[in-house]
Amino acid sequence: MTKNKRNIRVTKPKETAAGTPAVISSAKHILSEMSLQKGTKILLNLNQKEGIDCPGCAWPDPDDERSRIGEYCENGAKAIAEEATSKKLTLDFFSKNSVSDLVKLTDYEIGKKGRITQPMYLPKNADFYREISWKDAFKLTAEHLNKLDNPDEAIFYTSGRTSNEAAFLYQLFVRAYGTNNMPDCSNMCHESSGVALSETLGIGKGSVKLEDFYETEVILILGQNPGTNHPRMLSALQKAKKNGATIISINPILEAGLLNFSNPQKLSGLLGAKTKLSDHYLQVKINGDMALLQAIIKLMLEEEEKKPGSIFDLDFIKEKTHGIDAYLEHIRQLNMDDLIAICGIPLEQIKTVVKILSSRKKIIACWAMGLTQHKNAVDTIKEIVNLLLLKGSVGKAGAGTCPVRGHSNVQGDRTMGIYEKPSNIFLDNLENEFNFQPPRDHGYDTVKSIEAMYTGEAKVFFAMGGNFLSATPDTNYTAKALENCDLTVHVSTKLNRSHLIHGKEALILPCLARTDKDLINGNPQFVSVENSMGVIHSSRGNLNPISDKLLSEPKIVCELAKATLNDSTIDWDKYLEDYDHIRDNIEACIPGFEQYNKRVRLPEGFYLPNGARDNNYFTATGSANFSISKAEAQQLQAYEFLMMTIRSHDQFNTTIYGLNDRYRGIYNERRVIFMNPRDMGKFGFEKQEVVDLYNYHGGTERVAEAFIVIPYNIPQQCTATYFPEANVLVPLKSTAKKSNTPASKSVVIQIKKSISDTKITS
Ligand code: SF4
């Protein structure tokens, strides 16, 4: 066996999230990147009314009272530390560090270098970025765009940090230029939720508000780890528990944040008092969720048939839904033993959950990537909807759907029209308002964009934020795709791997961060965002920008549009006088934004209309739809494992804050694979042995080298690894049906002993 020579430390996984360790960790991260004074200035404003919206996840802020000292979580503090760091990347840095040297660093090391302070250009065949003026950067980009044979040879990516104002202008520019090639990070996260919810409930967003958590009876949490990914959700769960709710968690791994919570905003929490969160924890096999849901529903149906109306909400079903008879017939035909074999949950445990659900009328279902990144993700989410419809648990207080979004404005960007498949109504509105003909053909999503760049059909890649290479699957394939481009352009705050695996020419355009003041002629501007529950609210940075050469994202879009578009019918200069003009145009084009400029100035913002919340279903049938799906077992050979990629606790999407995963007990290391101890024994792997991971999808060998085996409480033949390190194994062509989201949570791998403990960096 190859024993690792690395500095890894492994402890027992934690059973309680947050508490004092979270406060200490927050302070450490803040103080490692900035002064106490600067940190305090930001944190006291973070998530406050009229303050700075956290650039982390999209969990909502309370509508009413907010803690004056800390309306944020540990990972919010880490996000701030990372974004508002005082470290700067000067020209000296770029002249001393070649791209070929920088690319050897890990994502963590690259991210720790600091903020980019001026536009940078990498000429053809050069190995060092050099400074370029903004004027020349726009000119170069415009020249590349204008020499393409067809606008569809360009791709315009968006990450979920982009504000509503920037996103609206960006899609407007891209469509005025002539393409709908607008992939975004949604394609890789909640696209499956959007598709499933649109078809069943008529709106591709969740239906619940934060207050619903406080009056619900049951919260189902599926494939989600809020302790790391949406930590303030734990306060909502705590309050729900206090009000009598039962929490049922369904997840392959026991996560500290689903077990117990010590609230760091309360003295009792800091002193160690904890709230037990999950009353029942079903450790389902990876992707066994649909089978489990169907098993639950089948048992409920058996009881309902003994005494009609005792379990299901028959009035709701009759008045508001479509397809009940065929659905129930389908459920009757299912074989309980098959469902149990697929989900791996014993019948007794399922019966316990059935008993709880049967007697309750207000249920909230929450989920995240653990559900959305499977081939059958859309159908699994529809099965959640089936359960809620049977119980009449949509369209009323204390009940509904809650797909928890990962990035702070990913939902808002889609609302603003960042979508490769825009509706005709939206395009008509653009046409009427701006007097140009937007393209009608659908564009490329993320997966199709990568394929188009790989084959040479796309030649220019422009990214509004994000770290595309580290966020996407099949790393080696995607790297080649980016390298094939004539030009890659990234609007960024900090250096990342996507700047170092680049097109023939490359640009980095540095922008203001969420925490930065944005002034036009001395007048402060604000932007707005939409959280996971459809609340639109403002965000105002309060720091002096780290450099006077940074531009806001709206300014970058407008200047690029002016440099690129001849005879544009759009008055781009107007937007740079005041962002109210952008919001006026949003109001004119997108329903729900009436009196936008007035209502966005309300301290708590305003809710967008939501049919499902109001018990109105704008679907093809005019009702909420039941759907029929078949749960299928993942076929694995005896020597194969199912791998899901996960985040560590020191991580937000592709940003790596540190090398620890405190809750899971892993320190100083990220190249680890969590395995069931019985599987380890069966295959002769020892604790902390170094192994290589292989995937052979489509006849291509994909290898991720030098992972350390960690024995862990996870179902047999299931494994977990951190992304982006394991993204190299995720086949680009293995995607969810209908949503085309890469199936990063069900990657078939083989695990082989490693011959050496090579330190791999990418
Ligand atoms: S829960 Fe999400 S939005 Fe709130 S502070 Fe934490 S990371 Fe930021």
Side-chain angles (χ1 to χ4, degrees), residues 145-189:
L145 289 174
N146 284 327
K147 78 178 178 202
L148 296 177
D149 291 338
N150 185 320
D152 288 334
E153 291 178 356
I155 284 164
F156 297 89
Y157 176 74
T158 312
S159 102
R161 186 205 59 203
T162 307
S163 67
N164 283 352
E165 289 75 5
F168 182 79
L169 290 184
Y170 184 47
Q171 65 78 33
L172 184 62
F173 158 62
V174 172
R175 294 195 166 105
Y177 168 67
T179 183
N180 281 314
N181 286 345
M182 261 176 280
D184 69 343
C185 57
S186 232
N187 296 150
M188 292 177 281
C189 59

Side-chain angles (χ1 to χ4, degrees), residues 8-42:
I8 184 171
R9 182 165 69 87
V10 182
T11 64
K12 209 167 150 257
K14 304 281 181 289
E15 293 184 357
T16 303
T20 317
V23 177
I24 296 170
S25 168
S26 305
K28 264 193 200 161
H29 279 269
I30 288 287
L31 294 176
S32 67
E33 300 290 341
M34 65 190 72
S35 66
L36 179 62
Q37 191 193 19
K38 181 173 167 185
T40 310
K41 185 171 178 188
I42 307 169

Side-chain angles (χ1 to χ4, degrees), residues 536-578:
I536 302 288
H537 64 90
S538 62
S539 178
R540 297 165 166 81
N542 66 354
L543 295 182
N544 290 323
I546 199 158
S547 154
D548 58 8
K549 290 187 179 164
L550 307 183
L551 296 186
S552 71
E553 286 175 320
K555 169 101 174 153
I556 291 172
V557 175
C558 291
E559 295 300 340
L560 181 58
K562 287 194 300 181
T564 308
L565 306 175
N566 295 319
D567 307 323
S568 177
T569 55
I570 300 154
D571 182 359
W572 298 98
D573 283 322
K574 175 182 78 176
Y575 301 125
L576 298 179
E577 291 164 7
D578 196 307

